[in-house]
Structures are given as structure tokens and as C-alpha cells.
Amino acid sequence: MKKIIKYLPVMFFILSLQLVSCDDELEQLPPENLSNELSLSTYDNLLLATNGIYTLLYDDNWYGRDFTVIADLKGGNGKSSPLNSGRFQTDYNWANNQDNTAAFWDEAYYLISRANNVINALVDFEEAGVTQDQLDQLEGEALFLRALAYFDLVRMHAQPYTSDPNSLGVPVVLVTEIAEPARNTVAEVFTQIVADLTLAETKIGNPVFEGRAPADAAGLASLEAVQALLAKVYLYMANWQEAANYATLLINNSNFNLYTAANYNSVWDTDDASEVIFEVYGDATQSSYAGFDAIGYIYDPGGYGDVCASNQLLNLFETGDVRGNLFKTDAGNPGFFWPNKYPGKANIRVNNAVILRLAEMYLIRAEALLNGASVSGVTALADYNAIRTNRGLAAATTVNLSNIYDERRRELCFEGNQLWDLSRTGRSLDRDEAETQISGDVDIPFPDYRWAMPIPFYELDANSNMEQNPGY
């Protein structure tokens, strides 16, 4: 990759966000003409560099907007609103092109390179007064963040593991260097993700120390975040038993509690909400702050309001389901509803982006149990009803996979899951409502080459070993 893998200067990464309890200010390390070895040769600088890995997640090309919006818009939860100004029309039409997700590719590999720099600098690192626990913590965080980046890249740019694990994945790059890496298989990428996370599980402890206590503790990687991501990764691999095992660790963890019917609609602008295991903390002072391009502005009729909820999604909510009330209306456009999971903290442009939360762990375990996993004393029906009864609904008497898929859609809508829930389970996209809105294909069968986004053109141009996805 010309901008990232081949010619990326290692010192480009050293502008980092120092998470502190009072004001989340940017801290800058020594000038960029210093060598990587020198700049990462002290614990304080390694700490700053680790903090700097997080900043890219908030970029509007990633969890700050695009990555999340694309998953719900292309997956059928969203549609173009009457306020649409042309944003995301290519995605809505499934007219995949090499520009659509190129910026996300850039940001993900920038993050991977930052993580690589920290991980590799920690090998045989010693400094008087610095404990091994402190060093392990930094390594664990970097491993978690690298795993998350690869998980998102392989979901966006490759066919699902459950379809063909030997198909083209993305390049696994573990050292920032001048190189032209070829694409690894999907299975190889997932193997690296699991390796990073299982190592992180042995390293990571309590990230809130050394003056790093942020306004939102869930904005730093923790042991629980590692375990929750492992549950989700194993779900995508259809490793049902491991998915259930790791989900159970979170369900049994007293640090987290399900939202109730009484508070569900009021938690989305809250730091340290009771379900949140890991989220991207939003703040207007961050270097990746997108301002008017932030996700809240896209989902609010008082902002741009380009994307609203589809009727197919809205029709899934039963009477009495409090989640059906978590939508905004606009007096000038009756009959349209905008999701209110990004209501803003200071304003609608500043939001936390939830990545992993407790409700999904219940749904992961329920799906895994229905697919043959076993956890002593636990049933899929009980997990399903734990969600339903905390959302204002009566307990069900039976449950099947179709129920779980619908429940994931209701519970996790507009959190960036639906597109990949469809592909990992081999389901086609059916969105009859879109027939009046788009010129492209309304329904997308599975399998189809379009479930994997194309590799950016500049990557192909700069890297002779890079191969484009079939069909493009």
C-alpha cells in the first residue's frame, strides 16, 4: 500500500491523544525527524504512543461515521431520507467502487502500524521503576486494537469466514516496514485476530492508571473488552462453543448490567453506561473529531439527516417494545423516523460509538446454543427472554435462529452489525421498500461478489503483490 504499507514513515504515528481525567488534550512526542527507536525508548513515550492508537477509531471514515452507517444502510436497516443530500447513495445502491471505503482502509492500516510500533518496541524493553505489569498492559491494549482493526478490515473487504475461509482476506502486517505484502486468506486473518486477542487476554489488566483515567473508562481496552471481542470473533467463525464460553464470561461479570425498559431510551448520551464493554469515546478536542461529518449529524433530521430507518426495521418492533420509541421524527416529513442512538453529549456531533455491549453477549450465546454449544444451566430461550423482558416485552415460550436474527436487528440496529450479520449467516438482502428509492439492485443474493468491498485502486497500483476481489 503506497500510503501505508510501503512508504509509511514510522514517526508519522507519534501524534497521540493523551486520555486524562480533566480535559483530553493532545500531547505531542518529540519532533518527527527522531528515529522510532529513540522516540519509543521511554515508558512515557510508549504510553503516549499507545494512547495515540485509539484516536483513529473516532475518524469519520471508521466508527465516527462511515463504517457504522454503511453496515446498517447496506444491510437494510436504513434508507435514504427525504432530507438526503446525496451522501451514501453509492452504498445504498450497492454500487461498490474502489473509493467508497478507501479512507477506512487507510485509517485501519494506520492504526495497525501504530499498534505494531508499540508491540515491537516492547520486546525486551526495560526501564528503571517500570513494572512488567505496566508494560504488559500497553502490549495488551495494542494487541486488542490491532485485532479490532483486522476484524473490521476482513469484514469489509473479504467474503465471510463461514462462506469460504480460504478466500482472499487482507494483508496481515505485523511490522511497519517498506514492503509489498500479498493478501492473506480469510482464515489466516482470523487466526491472527484470535492470536492477538488470546495473548492480550494474558497481558491486559486495569487500563485506568498512570493518570490515564478518562471520562469514560469503557473507552480504554480492558480484559472484558478482549473477552467480548473474542466472543464476537468466534461467532463470525461459527466456533459456537468458544463464542458461548466467552459470552458467558461477560454475562456473569457483575460489572455489567442490562439496560431496563425504564432506562433504555436515556442511556445513549451517557459515559460508563451499564451495558457498555468497549466504546470509542467521543470528544470535540480529539484529533479525529469529524465535526459536521460526525455520525450524529447524519442520523438527525436537525442536522443533515441523510439516513433514516427503513420500514422493514420499524415493523419488527412489537407493541410495548421500548426500542421502538428510540427514533426521532421531523414535522416537515411525517412518516419518516431517524435513529436516536447518537443524540450527542455537548451537541449532536459529539457521541460515543458503542462497539461491544452486554446485550450482544446474550444474543451471541443464544445463537451459539441454538447451533449446538452447551453451557451448564443456560438455555437459548432464557438468554432471548433476558433481552425481551428488559425491553418491555413478555417472555417468549420458544426461540429459533430466525428469532435471534430479528432480535439482533432490533437490539443492535444502527450500531454497525446488520450487513455482516447477513453475510456471516449466508442470508440474502431483501428490501422491497427500496424499489421506489434507488436505481440499482434492490435485493442482493448471497453468495455474491458484492459482499466484499473492492481493494482501493492506489493499493493495487503501488503493490504488485496485491490482488483485487473477484468481480471488480
Side-chain angles (χ1 to χ4, degrees):
M1 177 174 173
K2 193 169 187 178
K3 293 173 65 179
I4 295 189
I5 297 173
K6 285 188 67 180
Y7 303 113
L8 189 63
V10 291
M11 281 306 301
F12 181 85
F13 302 128
I14 305 306
L15 186 65
S16 59
L17 183 66
Q18 174 66 46
L19 296 175
V20 293
S21 57
C22 55
D23 56 6
D24 286 335
E25 294 179 348
L26 285 174
E27 298 284 341
Q28 189 169 7
L29 286 179
E32 293 187 359
N33 62 347
L34 296 179
S35 70
N36 193 51
E37 290 78 9
L38 179 60
S39 65
L40 297 181
S41 63
T42 70
Y43 175 76
D44 286 345
N45 285 357
L46 278 166
L47 181 61
L48 285 172
T50 302
N51 290 341
I53 303 171
Y54 289 89
T55 63
L56 293 165
L57 294 174
Y58 196 47
D59 191 273
D60 63 319
N61 299 300
W62 205 339
Y63 287 111
R65 188 186 68 177
D66 291 3
F67 185 83
T68 302
V69 172
I70 286 171
D72 280 281
L73 183 60
K74 293 185 73 172
N77 283 345
K79 65 180 181 180
S80 291
S81 84
L83 302 175
N84 185 270
S85 59
R87 295 176 180 84
F88 294 102
Q89 286 301 294
T90 301
D91 304 291
Y92 192 38
N93 279 273
W94 276 71
N96 300 350
N97 63 57
Q98 293 175 320
D99 292 329
N100 268 30
T101 54
F104 159 66
W105 175 281
D106 286 0
E107 298 303 322
Y109 273 108
Y110 275 128
L111 184 148
I112 289 165
S113 294
R114 290 187 182 190
N116 288 345
N117 288 344
V118 170
I119 293 166
N120 294 326
L122 284 166
V123 176
D124 298 325
F125 181 90
E126 292 182 358
E127 182 177 317
V130 176
T131 69
Q132 189 60 47
D133 285 346
Q134 290 174 300
L135 300 178
D136 286 348
Q137 175 64 35
L138 299 187
E139 184 178 2
E141 291 183 49
L143 288 164
F144 169 83
L145 293 166
R146 184 169 74 179
L148 178 62
Y150 276 124
F151 184 48
D152 291 347
L153 278 165
V154 78
R155 287 192 290 171
M156 181 71 82
H157 289 283
Q159 296 291 338
Y161 182 100
T162 47
S163 174
D164 182 4
N166 294 314
S167 61
L168 289 170
V170 296
V172 173
V173 180
L174 304 181
V175 178
T176 303
E177 61 184 356
I178 297 174
E180 294 187 356
R183 297 177 69 176
N184 292 82
T185 67
V186 169
E188 288 169 339
V189 179
F190 271 88
T191 296
Q192 184 62 50
I193 292 168
V194 170
D196 278 354
L197 291 174
T198 52
L199 180 56
E201 190 179 17
T202 70
K203 298 277 187 178
I204 207 162
N206 178 10
V208 186
F209 59 53
E210 297 285 341
R212 297 177 69 203
D216 177 21
L220 290 173
S222 62
L223 174 61
E224 292 87 354
V226 172
Q227 293 169 339
L229 187 54
L230 272 167
K232 190 162 186 170
V233 168
Y234 282 128
L235 177 78
Y236 275 69
M237 298 173 72
N239 186 332
W240 306 117
Q241 190 58 55
E242 290 292 358
N245 291 344
Y246 274 99
T248 299
L249 293 176
L250 278 303
I251 293 168
N252 292 343
N253 190 318
S254 61
N255 291 329
F256 307 101
N257 296 285
L258 284 173
Y259 302 146
T260 65
N263 69 12
Y264 187 87
N265 289 331
S266 63
V267 296
W268 300 97
D269 59 353
T270 304
D271 296 331
D272 291 321
S274 67
E275 278 198 20
V276 176
I277 302 165
F278 180 72
E279 65 186 356
V280 176
Y281 177 73
D283 189 284
T285 68
Q286 293 185 20
S287 59
S288 294
Y289 174 57
F292 288 97
D293 286 326
I295 193 169
Y297 222 62
I298 296 298
Y299 280 148
D300 193 303
Y304 293 134
D306 291 79
V307 178
C308 63
S310 69
N311 289 339
Q312 286 176 305
L313 171 65
L314 296 170
N315 290 338
L316 288 177
F317 293 104
E318 302 172 46
T319 301
D321 191 333
V322 296
R323 295 170 297 188
N325 300 324
L326 194 63
F327 293 90
K328 293 182 179 181
T329 58
D330 178 57
N333 295 281
F336 291 87
F337 299 86
W338 287 261
N340 197 26
K341 286 189 173 179
Y342 304 93
K345 293 186 286 186
N347 59 66
I348 63 172
R349 300 184 301 279
V350 180
N351 286 276
N352 296 341
V354 177
I355 312 303
L356 298 161
R357 62 184 177 95
L358 184 60
E360 186 175 11
M361 298 300 109
Y362 277 92
L363 293 168
I364 287 173
R365 189 169 72 175
E367 184 176 341
L369 293 170
L370 288 171
N371 279 290
S374 176
V375 177
S376 179
V378 175
T379 67
L381 181 60
D383 284 347
Y384 179 50
N385 282 331
I387 303 299
R388 288 181 59 84
T389 56
N390 279 282
R391 304 301 181 248
L393 299 172
T397 57
T398 61
V399 65
N400 57 35
L401 282 173
S402 181
N403 299 142
I404 298 301
Y405 297 155
D406 285 346
E407 197 63 36
R408 284 186 64 87
R409 194 171 181 182
R410 285 186 288 262
E411 180 65 29
L412 304 175
C413 64
F414 301 104
E415 295 176 48
N417 292 281
Q418 181 61 15
L419 176 66
W420 298 297
D421 275 346
L422 289 173
S423 64
R424 71 175 177 81
T425 55
R427 290 176 288 153
S428 299
L429 174 66
D430 179 7
R431 49 175 189 167
D432 295 339
E433 181 185 4
E435 291 177 354
T436 62
Q437 287 196 316
I438 68 174
S439 57
D441 290 344
V442 173
D443 300 329
I444 309 296
F446 190 91
D448 188 277
Y449 76 93
R450 287 170 291 181
W451 291 92
M453 291 294 291
I455 304 301
F457 71 91
Y458 56 76
E459 176 71 26
L460 297 167
D461 180 59
N463 184 349
S464 61
N465 294 318
M466 185 60 62
E467 186 176 351
Q468 183 59 277
N469 281 325
Y472 293 108

